[in-house]
Amino acid sequence: MDKVFVQGMKFYGYHGAFKEENELGQRFYCDVIMEMDSETPGRSDDLDDTVNYAQVYETAKEVLEGEPVKLVETLTHRTAVLILERFELVKAVTIKVTKPDPPIPGHYDGVAVEIRRERGFEKQ
């Protein structure tokens, strides 16, 4: 399978296990890797033959700026499910959601959850 990357998407959401996170909000980053056959769009040069990256962005935005949840794992899972549901060409997807400023002590580049899901999993 070929891989298509949509990386470094930035969002502002109200997710987190602490009340302050739900009230103040914070930044979230999202990277998406879609596994698909890109031979047809590679030959045709036609957007209708592939996945529209702007629509992938809007799908991630819907989750990451949408209904507040407690866990980064939930954001990652929901994003994977929606991408597999909406983009028929995608056979598997890897999603990484990063929370760069979690409210925990220490100096680091944040916390992240990365998952990979294959077509069919979202119906289970």
Side-chain angles (χ1 to χ4, degrees), residues 27-31 71-76 95-102 104 108-115:
R27 296 174 300 147
F28 292 87
Y29 303 145
C30 183
D31 299 313
L71 304 177
V72 177
E73 289 86 344
T74 305
L75 294 172
T76 309
I95 306 290
K96 179 180 178 184
V97 173
T98 302
K99 185 177 186 176
D101 301 305
I104 54 179
Y108 44 84
D109 292 330
V111 298
V113 173
E114 181 177 285
I115 64 169

Side-chain angles (χ1 to χ4, degrees), residues 1-5 33-41 92:
M1 279 290 109
D2 304 320
K3 294 181 180 180
V4 175
F5 296 75
I33 303 170
M34 297 169 288
E35 296 178 40
M36 54 186 269
D37 183 351
S38 66
E39 183 176 357
T40 298

Side-chain angles (χ1 to χ4, degrees), residues 42-120:
R43 291 178 186 277
S44 71
D45 197 30
D46 188 339
L47 183 58
D48 291 335
D49 290 336
T50 192
V51 173
N52 183 319
Y53 310 149
Q55 292 173 353
V56 172
Y57 172 86
E58 290 301 325
T59 299
K61 180 179 180 179
E62 182 178 328
V63 175
L64 292 158
E65 291 189 356
E67 176 188 351
V69 300
K70 293 178 184 172
L71 304 177
V72 177
E73 289 86 344
T74 305
L75 294 172
T76 309
H77 170 81
R78 289 183 179 179
T79 305
V81 168
L82 278 182
I83 287 176
L84 288 170
E85 285 177 354
R86 293 182 178 173
F87 303 102
E88 186 177 307
L89 292 175
V90 177
K91 305 303 179 201
V93 63
T94 300
I95 306 290
K96 179 180 178 184
V97 173
T98 302
K99 185 177 186 176
D101 301 305
I104 54 179
H107 298 281
Y108 44 84
D109 292 330
V111 298
V113 173
E114 181 177 285
I115 64 169
R116 182 182 180 278
R117 299 291 185 262
E118 294 182 12
R119 178 152 305 287

